[in-house]
Amino acid sequence: MSVQIHVILSLSLFITFSLCVIQMRILIISIIFALLQQGNGQNPKAHWTLLPNILVLQVNGALGQHPLTCLESAEEVMRRDDKGQEIIWKKNGVEEDQRGNMYLVELEESLGGGNYTCHNKDGSLLNHTVVLIQEDKTKTRKILVKSDQEDYLICSTQNYNGEFHCSWTWHPGRVGKVAFIRNQAKLSTPCSVDTSGQQWTCSSPQGDISCSVDGSRMSCRDKQHCPYAEEAQHININVYFKTNHFLVENYSKYFYLSEIVKPDKVKISKVNGTTLEWSYPSSWNSPYSYFPLTFQIAQIRRGCKKCSNSCTHSKAVTTMLVNSTGSCQVNIKPKVEIVCIRAKDALCNSHWSEWSHIRKDKNERKHHKNKGQASQ
């Protein structure tokens, strides 16, 4: 009996010693890596987890390495017969030469990103990590293209209901897809995504925003927004885009809804041959006395035949601004061919709506001309 107890104690001590050795090795590797990271010219410069099993490495273009771990705990390694020595690694489905629980990602310039998987000797999957590379900002070739407004993300809203839209233009040679969205500057308030990868929900003390992505556009809604209250917090949208080459770039937009509001087109109707009436867009908030609009009316004698929009490219005979809380009318001047009307929030310096226009038919213009000649 004493011999059996001695054997059991010996085995127990051996297992404990083995676990300590493995844990010590992991600790030593971690310390060495940390020391390397503290040196000058370190690469990667930083790393963080974007989503579970998605790792971002910020690189500076120099040679570097970053370790990946297949089995996280020493206990998992000890339960294996091969003590982790026969773990196989693959990058993008292609088997690598490196073996074991630890794998070193080789970094050079913008290379090193990929889908890294570790497997048992029989090929069964143990773990996976998608490594995305974020290049130094001074060397980045942008995935998106700047607009005429000198911005990559263009955001707007048609009213104060808490909904807004953001769009972007892909660079022809670097088309990607949305990899991650968050509504704050810090990664401590991430968004969650559904299985489709298109519907995001971002919750924070400042707001509860849900976004859906469709190609080069996303539509968002702040469920806590009150249109009748003063906006106390900016909306801070950060979007990460991933290319097919495992490069990632982030773009941000920081705004109040009042800064990006752009009303829908004004409704114009004809009262008679010389009078037009217009009204607020149906999507605009009411009451109009609390959400007033300013209207701009341009009367154009002759439209530009080669222009896509005569309202923006033709010289107006007269232009006037009108503040109104309801429907309005305007008299059409003689010899005018086109009347254009647009609107903007009267209480803030926001965007004008697109032009709405109505064109006189030839009979009405002829009637005006004959009437003017008769009066002479």
Side-chain angles (χ1 to χ4, degrees), residues 7 37 57 72 81 100 130 145 234-235 376:
V7 170
Q37 288 291 81
L57 303 181
E72 297 296 335
D81 294 334
V130 175
V145 178
H234 283 92
I235 293 174
Q376 294 174 1

Side-chain angles (χ1 to χ4, degrees), residues 46 48 58 65 86-87 93 99 120 128 134 149 151-152 169 178 180 187 198 216 219 242 249 257 263 298 311 318 338:
W48 63 90
Q58 185 182 357
Q65 293 180 327
E86 294 300 321
I87 292 177
R99 294 287 188 274
N120 276 318
H128 74 281
Q134 185 175 40
Q149 302 177 34
D151 212 341
Y152 293 99
T169 302
V178 173
F180 186 74
L187 283 170
Q198 303 297 309
S216 60
S219 300
K242 178 178 81 73
E249 295 173 7
L257 290 182
C311 294
T318 60
I338 301 171

Side-chain angles (χ1 to χ4, degrees), residues 158-172:
Q158 60 190 12
N159 52 42
Y160 289 104
N161 291 340
E163 298 179 1
F164 61 92
H165 311 276
C166 296
S167 61
W168 52 86
T169 302
W170 297 112
H171 191 285

Side-chain angles (χ1 to χ4, degrees), residues 170-189:
W170 297 112
H171 191 285
R174 290 169 63 80
V175 174
K177 65 178 182 178
V178 173
F180 186 74
I181 297 174
R182 69 175 188 267
N183 71 326
Q184 291 292 316
K186 297 180 180 179
L187 283 170
S188 59
T189 55

Side-chain angles (χ1 to χ4, degrees), residues 262-295:
K262 180 179 179 179
D264 282 333
K265 284 186 174 183
V266 174
K267 291 183 177 180
I268 306 177
S269 58
K270 192 178 296 184
V271 177
N272 53 49
T274 61
T275 306
L276 294 180
E277 183 178 78
W278 74 87
S279 58
Y280 274 57
S282 59
S283 59
W284 190 249
N285 296 88
S286 60
Y288 300 148
S289 57
Y290 192 82
F291 299 97
L293 290 176
T294 294
F295 299 92

Side-chain angles (χ1 to χ4, degrees), residues 48-50 134 153 164 178-192 200-204 209 211 218 220 235-240 250-253:
W48 63 90
T49 300
L50 198 60
Q134 185 175 40
L153 295 177
F164 61 92
V178 173
F180 186 74
I181 297 174
R182 69 175 188 267
N183 71 326
Q184 291 292 316
K186 297 180 180 179
L187 283 170
S188 59
T189 55
C191 299
S192 59
W200 296 78
T201 302
C202 313
S203 298
S204 71
I209 296 177
C211 296
M218 69 178 183
C220 302
I235 293 174
N236 191 344
I237 289 291
N238 289 266
V239 187
Y240 286 76
N250 71 294
Y251 301 81
S252 60
K253 193 73 174 178

